Each structure stands twice: as C-alpha cells, then as structure tokens.
Amino acid sequence: MSAVKKVVLTDKAPPPIKGVYNQAIVANGTVYCSGQIGTDPATGKIVEGDVQAHTHQIIKNLTAVLKAAGTSIDNVVKVNIFIADIKDFKAMNEVYMQYWGETKPARSCVQAQPPIAGLPVEIECIAVMP
Ligand SMILES: CC(=[NH2+])C(=O)[O-]
C-alpha cells in the first residue's frame, strides 16, 4: 500500500473489471480516473442504446467516481475519449457538451475499440481537488 496513492472505490460507479485497476487514484491533489464504459452500476449491465446513451452513462459514472474522490466534474482538467467508430463523433459530442460549462477541460479523442466488443465509447479523465 502506497502512502502517496489513495484508492477511490464507490458502489455508485461500476466496479473495476476483473479487479485489474482502480476506479481512480488520488495522488498529490490530482484525481486520475480510469476509463469508464457504459455500465449501469445499479444493474451491473451495459446500457442499451447508441453512443449517446453510453456517453450519458459514462459521464454519470465518472461523476460518481469524482464525488467519491472528493471533487467534481467542474474540476476536470483533461479528458481522453476512445470512440470505436469516428462516425459517432458528432453524436457523442452532443451529449458531452451538456456536462461542462464555459471552461471545458482539455481533451483528446481517438478512434479505438474499447476492451469489450461492441462498446461504442470509453472515457477517462483527470481532475484536481477543489
Ligand atoms: C475498462 C477499463 N478501464 C480497462 O482498463 O479495462
């Protein structure tokens, strides 16, 4: 157990798949959130629907992890997005834009298949403490 790294774990977000990572790690006042996929923690199932349904669920999951870490979506400074099909870029952005105010985080978005076949998107982020 590291004194520098604090593990974040909440049942308000999906548990880490196969226990091979943590939902987030806090180190030196920065919160490093693992990539979230569109799993609903209430059911343990991946949400049905398109990239927009997944994006909503993912940002809800990240919001829960950030809250458990002691911060919030307003304090996100960087977002990385992995989108299976770049044709979904516009639809994903329509949902994404609903969650941040005027000062949007820095962001990267690349086309890449998330680790479970058929998943349209995975999103990770980095936040600071308030
Ligand atoms: C889903 C995820 N964050 C992973 O690393 O497999």
Side-chain angles (χ1 to χ4, degrees):
M1 181 68 98
S2 163
V4 178
K5 301 192 291 183
K6 184 178 152 240
V7 171
V8 179
L9 182 61
T10 175
D11 62 6
K12 304 283 189 292
I17 298 170
K18 300 187 189 296
V20 294
Y21 56 94
N22 284 294
Q23 291 170 333
I25 292 288
V26 183
N28 290 328
T30 303
V31 185
Y32 301 87
C33 292
S34 291
Q36 282 287 335
I37 59 172
T39 303
D40 180 343
T43 63
K45 298 207 166 96
I46 293 170
V47 290
E48 294 191 8
D50 60 7
V51 71
Q52 294 198 328
H54 282 252
T55 303
H56 276 300
Q57 185 63 54
I58 286 167
I59 297 177
K60 275 186 208 160
N61 293 344
L62 287 171
T63 299
V65 172
L66 290 164
K67 186 174 177 198
T71 189
S72 76
I73 197 165
D74 293 336
N75 295 322
V76 171
V77 294
K78 179 75 204 292
V79 176
N80 293 322
I81 301 177
F82 309 95
I83 193 163
D85 186 341
I86 209 67
K87 290 195 197 89
D88 281 339
F89 187 67
K90 181 170 176 285
M92 178 278 296
N93 274 331
E94 284 169 8
V95 172
Y96 180 89
M97 291 289 280
Q98 297 171 25
Y99 287 89
W100 277 278
E102 205 171 303
T103 308
K104 293 175 184 55
R107 195 183 101 170
S108 303
C109 179
V110 296
Q111 181 168 300
Q113 177 60 59
I116 298 174
L119 287 183
V121 61
E122 176 174 339
I123 304 177
E124 65 183 18
C125 69
I126 300 170
V128 292
M129 287 297 190

